[in-house]
Amino acid sequence: MKKNLLTGMLAASAALFVACSSEKDYYDPNGAVAQKEAQYEFAFTKRYGKIAPDQDWGFGTASSVKAVRGVDANANEWGTYVNVPDPLTDAQIQVVSKWFREHKTPEGIAVNWSDFFAQQVSSVNESDNENYVEGNGHGHMDYLTCGENNEHIYNFNNGTCSVNGNVCYALDPDESKDMNNRKLYHSDRIQYMVNSSTSKFGYHNSLDSKDYDDYVIIPGDMIDPSVAGMYFVGFDYQANGQNANQQVKLDGYYNDWIIKITPGIYKGAYRIIAEDLGDTDDFDFNDVVFDVVFRDVTIITLQAVGGTMPLYIQVEDEKKEVHELFGVSSSTMVNTGSVSKAPVIFRLPLPSSNPSSNSSSKNHADVQILVNDGTAVYYLKADCGKAPQKILVPTTYEWTKERESIDTKYPAFAEWVSNKDAKWIK
Ligand SMILES: [Ca+2]
Ligand SMILES: [Ca+2]
Ligand SMILES: [Ca+2]
């Protein structure tokens, strides 16, 4: 009921929104947002002192960047724009394969990435695998798929992935060299999926011409310290052909095919941290934390949500609610305390060009944060010389734990408030 009311409110104020600057309040029937902002401004300046009039909170010229058109899915370009995962070592492959072999019906997790790498770990179809069983039908796990539309993860067929000898994994730091001479290559069994989905994994079984999705995602932290921070997808094979020799039952062991998946972390990103004005005297700046990179679309990596009100990341007229993206209720905070989840990667349109600058230039201020406090709906602001509701920082910035003030973690923050040239992030 409440939700319907809100939708109505949003629709009613849509015309107003189009007419106004995007930085204006979205829906504030009682002037409550203005009052909250005044309280926040007061508490902020009381704690951090005078704000330099030219303090733009990072959203000034530094945040205007050129959008890179297109995402090149060719392996010989990957290292130029995205962090490419290292090939797995034999020891890592063994420890992961053993874990899946020994753990029946493990409880997995969900991850939510539009852009990700897939790497081969092992399958019982590979003759060098300890579990290899000749002629057991597993070779009919014919192609690996992801997402609700069963999109093929190219090169992943028959329980394996062909070796790619031209994977550009990084760039030589010597910028005086020609770009093509800076590319560093290695071999791996790997694929990069863009504008795709991790909502589901599956395979096509050519034995019975059916698609199956008996899979589980296991964080490496559950397996062994040597694979901590990684994510693995395991499949439990089944076949239901007409003949007895075409039938394999699920056995609860997800080691029939194992791959590693890695979120696509783009280079050149900036991080946005924000206060949602839930409490006007709280300065943990972790109510939402996300990274932004402009390519053919806006690619967002949601890192943390330390707020308990519905909060949307929005570009143009498309927006996503951050708790929903993490798969939690809006009262649950993620990655600022007890609840830990993998970052979420998703796509939004590019902001329309800023007419006052180069046509392809994009500003991070146009990636907006919309909060619904139950009464009002408002955008967070970063006005020059006023208390910031959001700040643009490098991705090396480590966000605070819940209710930890930004100046506790970064003591030079107050100095930066009055002097925009002060260095406050190491
Ligand atoms: Ca199995
Ligand atoms: Ca806060
Ligand atoms: Ca918080």
Side-chain angles (χ1 to χ4, degrees), residues 274-279 282-287 306-307 402-403:
E275 270 305 321
D276 62 10
L277 307 186
D279 293 305
D282 164 63
F283 304 108
D284 57 15
F285 281 94
N286 68 9
D287 299 339
E402 194 48 40
R403 299 291 288 185

Side-chain angles (χ1 to χ4, degrees), residues 115-417:
D115 298 46
F116 65 96
F117 287 94
Q119 285 170 288
Q120 174 73 6
V121 177
S122 66
S123 83
V124 296
N125 192 46
E126 294 173 319
S127 57
D128 57 352
N129 187 293
E130 287 175 58
N131 292 347
Y132 176 67
V133 188
E134 198 172 354
N136 69 348
H138 290 79
H140 292 279
M141 298 177 81
D142 280 332
Y143 57 86
L144 194 68
T145 61
C146 64
E148 299 306 318
N149 300 324
N150 297 334
E151 183 183 0
H152 183 200
I153 303 178
Y154 306 114
N155 296 335
F156 280 78
N157 300 294
N158 304 317
T160 189
C161 173
S162 51
V163 174
N164 188 327
N166 287 306
V167 177
C168 170
Y169 66 92
L171 287 176
D172 184 322
D174 183 356
E175 292 184 14
S176 69
K177 286 186 184 169
D178 176 72
M179 182 55 109
N180 275 327
N181 293 325
R182 289 181 61 200
K183 291 182 188 170
L184 305 172
Y185 295 95
H186 64 211
S187 295
D188 199 1
R189 295 190 290 176
I190 186 169
Q191 188 54 264
Y192 190 44
M193 301 301 288
V194 297
N195 195 17
S196 185
S197 170
T198 56
S199 65
K200 192 181 90 171
F201 288 91
Y203 63 91
H204 180 78
N205 189 334
S206 66
L207 202 60
D208 57 16
S209 294
K210 288 187 176 127
D211 296 317
Y212 293 104
D213 58 359
D214 307 291
Y215 76 97
V216 64
I217 302 175
I218 301 292
D221 305 55
M222 276 170 62
I223 297 175
D224 189 77
S226 67
V227 292
M230 302 178 184
Y231 299 89
F232 298 93
V233 184
F235 293 91
D236 191 3
Y237 178 73
Q238 64 172 312
N240 298 283
Q242 294 204 321
N243 302 324
N245 67 353
Q246 296 176 328
Q247 293 169 5
V248 178
K249 283 198 161 44
L250 295 172
D251 62 5
Y253 291 98
Y254 289 77
N255 65 327
D256 297 286
W257 194 353
I258 306 166
I259 64 164
K260 179 190 169 205
I261 52 173
T262 307
I265 302 298
Y266 285 83
K267 296 178 178 181
Y270 282 87
R271 181 159 292 169
I272 293 176
I273 61 176
E275 270 305 321
D276 62 10
L277 307 186
D279 293 305
T280 50
D281 60 347
D282 164 63
F283 304 108
D284 57 15
F285 281 94
N286 68 9
D287 299 339
V288 69
V289 178
F290 60 95
D291 302 341
V292 177
V293 69
F294 298 118
R295 293 190 64 86
D296 56 332
V297 295
T298 302
I299 300 170
I300 310 275
T301 303
L302 175 62
Q303 300 281 8
V305 176
T308 54
M309 298 190 292
L311 184 151
Y312 303 80
I313 299 172
Q314 177 174 346
V315 177
E316 299 297 314
D317 56 358
E318 223 178 283
K319 62 181 184 289
K320 304 265 190 195
E321 206 286 317
V322 293
H323 300 89
E324 278 175 27
L325 289 165
F326 272 129
V328 299
S329 72
S330 62
S331 60
T332 304
M333 296 184 279
V334 178
N335 294 342
T336 62
S338 55
V339 178
S340 298
K341 288 194 174 279
V344 174
I345 298 179
F346 63 100
R347 296 171 154 234
L348 288 172
L350 277 181
S352 58
S353 296
N354 179 352
S356 65
S357 62
N358 183 312
S359 63
S360 64
S361 175
K362 301 296 165 195
N363 196 298
H364 294 84
D366 294 326
V367 179
Q368 301 191 74
I369 303 166
L370 185 70
V371 180
N372 173 10
D373 74 358
T375 314
V377 182
Y378 50 93
Y379 288 107
L380 300 183
K381 300 170 183 170
D383 290 342
C384 248
K386 300 196 78 177
Q389 299 163 13
K390 58 181 180 179
I391 299 174
L392 189 76
V393 293
T395 52
T396 50
Y397 172 92
E398 294 174 13
W399 62 93
T400 56
K401 293 283 173 218
E402 194 48 40
R403 299 291 288 185
E404 177 190 17
S405 278
I406 192 168
D407 54 299
T408 305
K409 196 167 178 86
Y410 293 96
F413 177 76
E415 193 188 333
W416 182 63
V417 168

